[in-house]
Each structure stands twice: as C-alpha cells, then as structure tokens.
Amino acid sequence: MFSKEEAAQIRKEFWISFGKSFPRKWLLYNTKIKGFSFKFVAERKQAMVVLDIEHPDEIYNELLFEQLQSLQTILEQEYISEIIFHDAYQLDNGKIIKRLFVKFPEKFSIYNKNTWRDCFEFFVENMTQFELFFYEYEDYIKQAI
C-alpha cells in the first residue's frame, strides 16, 4: 500500500503523463451550461469518461437529463455504444448527481503504470466521441433550460 503522499504523487504523475501523451484542449467544463461538465475519472479500481449534470437547481438537472435521454439512441448508435445513463449516481462524498458515463472495460488501477497507456487511449477515443456528440446537439441540449 502507498502512503497518502505517494498515492498523491502517482495520481499527479498519471495526469501529467496523460497530458504529455495526448496534448489537447478538451471541452470539459467549458460547455457554457451551468453544472454540465465532462470529466476524466481515474481511480484505484476503475476509469471512466463522464458527463456530470449537477446544477444547483434540481429542476434544471431533470430537464437536461431528460433532453439527453431523448438523444440516447443517437448517442448509443453513432457515438458511444456502451454509454450508461444514471439518474441518481452517488459520488464518494455522498452527493447524488445525474451522470452519463462509459467505463474502461479492462482491469485498471491508477497505481499500476502498466494499465495507463490503454486507459489514455480509451480516454481519448471516448471523450472525443462525447465532444463530437455535444457539439452536434449543443443547441438542442441547451433548449432544455
């Protein structure tokens, strides 16, 4: 097991390595929709590419999630076939949000450098598809609010 400092250093090294391997400006928080953001997640036992909906007003969360559900077939058939829609995803801090995500299908640990390269490629492939989907349907998604 790693000390807290060692674990933090490994996580930092993971993200620096990803940024150097695939230097690119990602959309992430710059969606211009409050509480609507794309994220890379890499943890002890899993990696994911996610779209989190966590607007302070729950009504907006519902509207945005429903708007995305109306596009679910298109998203699955044309962009990310393994996408999961979760309307009550619990974060580690206990907060409940709405989340769309795709999980890295292989065994992964941020603490195992042998899993990093495949994860990086998974991140790039799936975040690119998520971004293409968002840019194509951005105006439609924004109509929800």
Side-chain angles (χ1 to χ4, degrees):
M1 205 67 202
F2 300 102
S3 71
K4 213 174 191 178
E5 293 80 20
E6 290 170 325
Q9 182 60 36
I10 291 169
R11 287 191 304 274
K12 181 178 177 182
E13 188 180 332
F14 175 87
W15 293 112
I16 289 170
S17 182
F18 175 59
K20 286 181 178 179
S21 298
F22 297 94
R24 171 169 177 232
K25 179 127 175 83
W26 299 98
L27 177 63
L28 303 179
Y29 294 91
N30 196 22
T31 63
K32 297 183 178 57
I33 302 173
K34 187 174 185 173
F36 191 92
S37 56
F38 294 93
K39 298 175 185 170
F40 297 105
V41 176
E43 298 170 339
R44 191 170 60 87
K45 291 190 176 185
Q46 70 176 351
M48 302 182 287
V49 174
V50 306
L51 169 56
D52 284 347
I53 304 169
E54 48 187 331
H55 193 283
D57 187 332
E58 187 57 37
I59 292 171
Y60 287 118
N61 291 331
E62 288 293 331
L63 294 171
L64 286 166
F65 192 75
E66 287 173 8
Q67 198 78 329
L68 288 166
Q69 283 180 309
S70 74
L71 296 168
Q72 185 170 355
T73 301
I74 294 169
L75 180 55
E76 290 174 342
Q77 291 179 356
E78 297 180 23
Y79 297 93
I80 305 172
S81 63
E82 303 298 319
I83 193 81
I84 299 167
F85 281 68
H86 201 304
D87 66 348
Y89 189 91
Q90 185 170 358
L91 300 175
D92 290 341
N93 64 7
K95 183 177 180 181
I96 305 292
I97 65 168
K98 299 188 181 317
R99 175 175 272 185
L100 279 65
F101 62 98
V102 58
K103 284 185 173 186
F104 181 59
E106 300 170 28
K107 190 172 179 174
F108 173 81
S109 172
I110 196 167
Y111 304 115
N112 179 353
K113 292 181 181 182
N114 294 328
T115 65
W116 287 11
R117 185 68 188 181
D118 289 341
C119 181
F120 293 165
E121 291 172 5
F122 164 83
F123 278 173
V124 170
E125 178 183 333
N126 286 281
M127 186 60 80
T128 299
Q129 290 303 307
F130 242 152
E131 288 180 340
L132 290 171
F133 166 76
F134 178 76
Y135 288 131
E136 182 70 27
Y137 295 96
E138 178 177 6
D139 292 339
Y140 178 77
I141 294 166
K142 287 179 179 179
Q143 288 175 4
I145 51 174

